[in-house]
């Protein structure tokens, strides 16, 4: 079942992007099947944070920013919906205070196949927790962006780790 992520959760997840007007993710929904948590998102980049409006194209920097925004929204949305076994006792607010511990380990197989229109485009992120070692959970992510919901104009695979958190005050 697909659940729409509330604007409140999205705002919390993307708080660091609001100061520079770089919040590009506009809406998101989340679903879970087997061991994969999937996020579907819509984006709009009205003005690039570092390029002149004349450039008008989606590029690798914006792709990374959009990927990061999907990760944060997916994690907070998944925590809110109790989709992560390893975060059953963690609240979105508690995670948000500790999210600086989320790290990208590796970008793999990134392909830019077709130009994307910045005004309205879509993103998809499939997150699959792999294993826990020490205080980190290693995660495999497949992502894509596109002009339609197929999200196949810019695709890639990312490995990241997220912190194991224990909310002792919960």
């Amino acid at each position: 079942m697909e659940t729409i992520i509330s604007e409140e959760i999205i705002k919390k997840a993307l708080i660091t992007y609001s100061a520079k007007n770089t919040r590009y993710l506009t809406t998101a929904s989340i679903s879970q099947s087997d061991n994969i948590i999937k996020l579907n998102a819509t984006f709009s980049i009205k003005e690039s944070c570092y390029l002149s409006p004349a450039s008008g194209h989606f590029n690798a920097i914006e792709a990374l920013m959009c990927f990061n925004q999907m990760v944060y929204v997916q994690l907070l949305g998944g925590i809110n919906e109790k989709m992560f076994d390893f975060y059953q006792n963690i609240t979105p607010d508690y995670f948000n205070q500790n999210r600086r511990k989320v790290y990208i380990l590796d970008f793999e197989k990134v392909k830019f196949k077709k130009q994307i229109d910045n005004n309205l485009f879509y993103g998809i992120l499939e997150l699959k927790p792999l294993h826990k070692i020490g205080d980190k959970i290693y995660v495999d992510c497949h992502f894509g962006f596109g002009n339609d919901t197929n999200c196949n104009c810019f695709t890639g695979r990312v490995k990241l780790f997220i912190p194991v958190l224990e909310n002792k005050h919960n």
Side-chain angles (χ1 to χ4, degrees):
M1 181 174 86
E2 192 168 18
T3 303
I4 294 173
I5 297 176
S6 72
E7 178 62 20
E8 177 186 356
I9 293 291
I10 292 173
K11 276 185 178 179
K12 283 181 184 181
L14 303 181
I15 189 74
T16 59
Y17 293 94
S18 62
K20 302 280 185 188
N21 198 26
T22 54
R23 176 183 161 180
Y24 301 146
L25 187 145
T26 58
T27 63
S29 61
I30 193 168
S31 61
Q32 183 176 22
S33 65
D34 299 323
N35 197 27
I36 295 175
I37 298 170
K38 182 178 175 181
L39 181 90
N40 290 300
T42 58
F43 292 88
S44 180
I45 303 174
K46 299 295 182 200
E47 184 176 335
S48 175
C49 65
Y50 71 100
L51 290 176
S52 74
S55 67
H57 71 281
F58 186 77
N59 58 58
I61 299 300
E62 289 162 339
L64 182 57
M65 289 175 67
C66 290
F67 170 80
N68 285 343
Q69 290 181 25
M70 284 195 300
V71 168
Y72 290 137
V73 168
Q74 186 175 42
L75 288 172
L76 261 64
I79 289 168
N80 194 55
E81 296 297 321
K82 304 292 185 200
M83 291 181 170
F84 297 109
D85 292 339
F86 48 87
Y87 280 162
Q88 288 298 311
N89 298 316
I90 299 296
T91 66
D93 288 331
Y94 185 79
F95 178 82
N96 224 15
Q97 295 167 9
N98 292 279
R99 72 182 180 160
R100 67 185 175 276
K101 299 174 185 177
V102 176
Y103 288 99
I104 294 173
L105 295 174
D106 195 11
F107 263 85
E108 299 176 349
K109 301 178 184 177
V110 176
K111 294 181 182 178
F112 215 147
K113 301 174 188 176
K114 184 179 176 185
Q115 190 169 356
I116 295 174
D117 180 358
N118 281 354
N119 291 314
L120 174 64
F121 61 99
Y122 303 90
I124 191 168
L125 178 62
E126 293 180 344
L127 184 146
K128 180 179 183 181
L130 298 174
H131 55 275
K132 178 182 164 193
I133 298 177
D135 65 346
K136 295 172 186 68
I137 299 157
Y138 290 81
V139 177
D140 191 29
C141 302
H142 293 270
F143 71 93
F145 300 105
N147 296 317
D148 58 32
T149 56
N150 292 328
C151 300
N152 59 5
C153 295
F154 186 96
T155 60
R157 182 174 169 195
V158 177
K159 290 183 181 171
L160 54 89
F161 64 75
I162 57 177
V164 173
L165 299 175
E166 295 179 19
N167 189 349
K168 307 218 188 289
H169 304 289
N170 210 4

